[in-house]
Amino acid sequence: PCEFEALNTIALQLRDLGHLEQSQSLFEQLVAGRREANGSTHPLTLHAIGSLSSLSQMRGHLAEAEALAREALDGAKMMLGSSHPDTLGQMTHLSTVLKDQGKLGEAELLAREAADSSRNMLGDSHPDTLISLSNLAQVLLVQGKLEEAEELAREDFRGSRQRLGASHPDTLVSLSNLAQLLVHRGASMMSLASLHQRLRHSKGRTTCTVECAPVPMAGRLKEAEALMRKTLKRSRADLG
C-alpha cells in the first residue's frame, strides 16, 4: 500500500537527518504493518526488517540488530534462495553487524560467501559485488589480514571507478577506504621494522633491516596521502 511506501520514505529521511529515534519508531511501524499485511517472510517484510536492523546498528543496539538481521537472512534464504541478490545483501549486512560485535570468525565466513556468490551471480563489477568486496576488506582489516584486505580494497576502487566514474560518491568512499587501509599497512610495517630493530640490537648486531624496510612502507603512506588528497579535492569539487 501507498502508506507503507510513504512510511518508509519518511523513516529514511529522518535517518539521513540524524533523527534516529524517530526513524526507528517509523521503521518498527513499517515492519509491524508489513508482517500483518504480507506475512513475516514476504520479501517486502524482509526488506523492512533489514532496514530496521540497519537503524538499530547505527544506534549501537547491536544485539537487536543481529537478531533482526538473522531473521531477514533466514527468511530471504527460504523465500528467494541462497544466491538471490536480496539474500546476499542481507548476508553482507549481517556480517557487518557481527564485525561490530567482534564476532569476526562468523563475520568473515558470511562476508566471503556473499562476495564469492556475488561474483558468480552478478559479475565482478556489479555494484552489489563491489559492496560485498568492500565489506570483506573491512572484516579482514579488523583481523589484521592486511595484504588480502588491500587487494580487495583496490579491486573495489577500480571497479567503482570504472563503473561509476572517478567522482561518484561511492567511488570516493572506496578511495577513502583504500587510503585508510594503506595507512594501516604502513603503520603495521613500521611497527614490524621497529621490532626487528630491537631484536637485532638485543643480539648485539645491527643490520640493514630498518634501512631496507622503509621503501614499501613509505611508498604505501605516500600513496595513502595522495589518495586522501584526491578524495578531498573531488569531494570539494562535486559537493562544495
Side-chain angles (χ1 to χ4, degrees), residues 13-230:
Q13 290 174 342
L14 288 170
R15 182 201 65 186
D16 293 343
L17 290 170
H19 303 307
L20 302 185
E21 186 173 354
Q22 296 96 315
S23 177
Q24 179 160 352
S25 177
L26 292 184
F27 274 127
E28 288 171 349
Q29 293 179 44
L30 178 61
V31 169
R34 285 294 188 191
R35 287 189 195 277
E36 183 176 353
N38 305 111
S40 293
T41 57
H42 191 281
L44 291 174
T45 305
L46 299 174
H47 185 271
I49 293 171
S51 296
L52 179 56
S53 174
S54 296
L55 199 284
S56 297
Q57 182 183 19
M58 290 177 66
R59 298 190 68 195
H61 302 165
L62 298 181
E64 177 183 351
E66 180 184 344
L68 290 166
R70 289 190 185 279
E71 180 183 358
L73 176 57
D74 290 344
K77 284 181 176 179
M78 181 174 65
M79 297 299 294
L80 303 172
S82 297
S83 299
H84 191 279
D86 288 354
T87 304
L88 299 178
Q90 300 288 6
M91 191 178 297
T92 294
H93 168 60
L94 176 56
S95 73
T96 69
V97 176
L98 294 171
K99 173 177 68 70
D100 288 350
Q101 295 182 90
K103 300 178 180 179
L104 301 179
E106 186 179 3
E108 182 180 340
L109 288 174
L110 287 172
R112 285 192 184 280
E113 182 177 352
D116 291 344
S117 296
S118 292
R119 284 187 194 275
N120 293 333
M121 297 299 296
L122 304 173
D124 291 342
S125 61
H126 190 278
D128 289 351
T129 302
L130 298 177
I131 289 173
S132 67
L133 293 179
S134 176
N135 177 61
L136 177 55
Q138 292 300 309
V139 173
L140 295 172
L141 170 61
V142 174
Q143 297 181 85
K145 301 177 180 180
L146 301 182
E147 184 174 353
E148 183 181 2
E150 180 183 334
E151 293 175 2
L152 292 168
R154 289 186 184 280
E155 182 178 356
D156 172 37
F157 170 59
R158 287 194 301 267
S160 296
R161 182 176 57 185
Q162 179 180 1
R163 191 177 186 92
L164 302 173
S167 298
H168 190 279
D170 288 351
T171 304
L172 296 179
V173 170
S174 298
L175 189 62
S176 177
N177 288 342
L178 175 57
Q180 292 175 23
L181 199 149
L182 291 172
V183 170
H184 278 282
R185 284 214 73 183
S188 177
M189 288 179 178
M190 286 181 176
S191 297
L192 184 59
S194 177
L195 176 60
H196 279 220
Q197 183 183 35
R198 289 197 298 272
L199 288 174
R200 295 297 187 184
H201 280 300
S202 69
K203 295 178 181 180
R205 48 196 171 94
T206 303
T207 70
C208 70
T209 303
V210 179
E211 295 176 0
C212 297
V215 177
M217 74 172 92
R220 280 188 168 81
L221 292 174
K222 287 181 179 179
E223 182 182 4
E225 180 182 356
L227 292 174
M228 288 177 176
R229 290 184 183 279
K230 187 182 297 185

